[in-house]
Amino acid sequence: MRTFKLPEMVFSIKGNAAGFLNGISSNTLEAPLNAFLNQHGRIIATFRQQKISDDEFLISIPALAKDGLLKHLERFVKLSRVSMVPSDRHVFIDLDTVAAVWSTQELENSISDEAFTLFRLDHNIPLMGVDYQADEFILNVHEFNYVSYTKGCFLGQEPVAKVHNRAQPSRRLAVQFEDQCSPEQATHMTSKVLDPASSRTKGFVFISNKPA
């Protein structure tokens, strides 16, 4: 198996983990990606998730999001009577299936950092803290990967549903070649790497959805 370790911290949530996550996260618990949002639909942290049982889930979050997320979740953790503690597991991307792999072992990276950046661009895998930041409106990152529109209530649902049903996000994160970008977009491009197939530089940029 070819893997690459993600720069994320893994936490174990135990107790009524399914009920806890279902009430305050934006996606279904069967989805690989999810998000904790504030009441305005803006990102506290995006995360990967893995069900161990109804009473235990693993989530992985960017290290930079830890303090803000723990502060955000403190009240909900107490009310739900769950525990949320660091896990000894690590999370990797399977380079053949693009699925998350959770392991207590330190697996060696199968490719270089630069090759993994190209892999992320080819598979549209942006990273929080690299390609988008906390407080970004979730639908600007992706309209469907982190949100379910049928799961029921969650924190931030109202503004998210309003934009989805009545309008469109003001901007969207996309993979672009640098020579396709405006000077401003090129300045703010992230995860820039040379694409060997085209000999052109590409990366993630936010593209406006507003009419020109």
Side-chain angles (χ1 to χ4, degrees):
M1 179 170 59
R2 301 186 311 126
T3 60
F4 194 94
K5 184 179 180 181
L6 291 168
E8 298 177 358
M9 302 179 64
V10 178
F11 284 83
S12 170
I13 301 174
K14 293 182 178 180
N16 181 19
F20 168 73
L21 284 172
N22 192 57
I24 60 168
S25 64
S26 58
N27 211 348
T28 64
L29 302 188
E30 294 75 32
L33 300 174
N34 207 335
F36 295 114
L37 310 176
N38 65 18
Q39 67 269 31
H40 305 296
R42 295 185 173 274
I43 295 169
I44 303 294
T46 53
F47 62 96
R48 299 170 208 282
Q49 59 186 3
Q50 176 66 46
K51 180 179 179 179
I52 305 301
S53 69
D54 284 343
D55 295 328
E56 183 179 6
F57 273 74
L58 299 176
I59 68 170
S60 69
I61 64 168
L64 58 83
K66 182 186 111 172
D67 291 345
L69 177 61
L70 292 181
K71 182 177 180 181
H72 171 74
L73 292 180
E74 183 178 12
R75 174 168 59 95
F76 302 106
V77 167
K78 290 179 180 178
L79 289 172
S80 300
R81 298 182 179 177
V82 298
S83 66
M84 180 174 169
V85 297
S87 170
D88 62 354
R89 291 177 175 89
H90 310 282
V91 64
F92 306 82
I93 287 288
D94 185 323
L95 300 173
D96 297 311
T97 66
V98 200
V101 176
W102 309 76
S103 176
T104 55
Q105 298 180 351
E106 277 282 8
L107 306 178
E108 186 175 346
N109 288 340
S110 301
I111 57 176
S112 68
D113 290 351
E114 183 175 350
F116 184 62
T117 299
L118 182 61
F119 176 89
R120 291 197 300 105
L121 292 167
D122 287 341
H123 293 84
N124 194 25
I125 306 175
L127 296 178
M128 181 179 172
V130 178
D131 305 302
Y132 61 94
Q133 307 300 324
D135 206 44
E136 184 71 51
F137 188 62
I138 188 63
L139 300 190
N140 293 350
V141 177
H142 201 283
E143 193 166 1
F144 300 101
N145 280 359
Y146 301 93
V147 176
S148 167
Y149 299 99
T150 59
K151 64 164 280 186
C153 295
F154 59 85
L155 187 62
Q157 180 192 25
E158 186 174 349
V160 168
K162 180 182 290 187
V163 170
H164 174 69
N165 292 325
R166 301 182 186 177
Q168 62 180 350
S170 60
R171 61 181 190 164
R172 59 186 174 88
L173 188 62
V175 177
Q176 291 277 97
F177 286 108
E178 190 173 35
D179 57 20
Q180 293 177 308
C181 297
S182 68
E184 182 178 1
Q185 287 174 334
T187 299
H188 294 97
M189 177 177 279
T190 59
S191 297
K192 289 172 63 170
V193 70
L194 181 67
D195 176 25
S198 63
S199 298
R200 300 161 71 191
T201 298
K202 64 182 180 180
F204 284 107
V205 293
F206 279 102
I207 299 173
S208 175
N209 279 329
K210 296 177 181 178

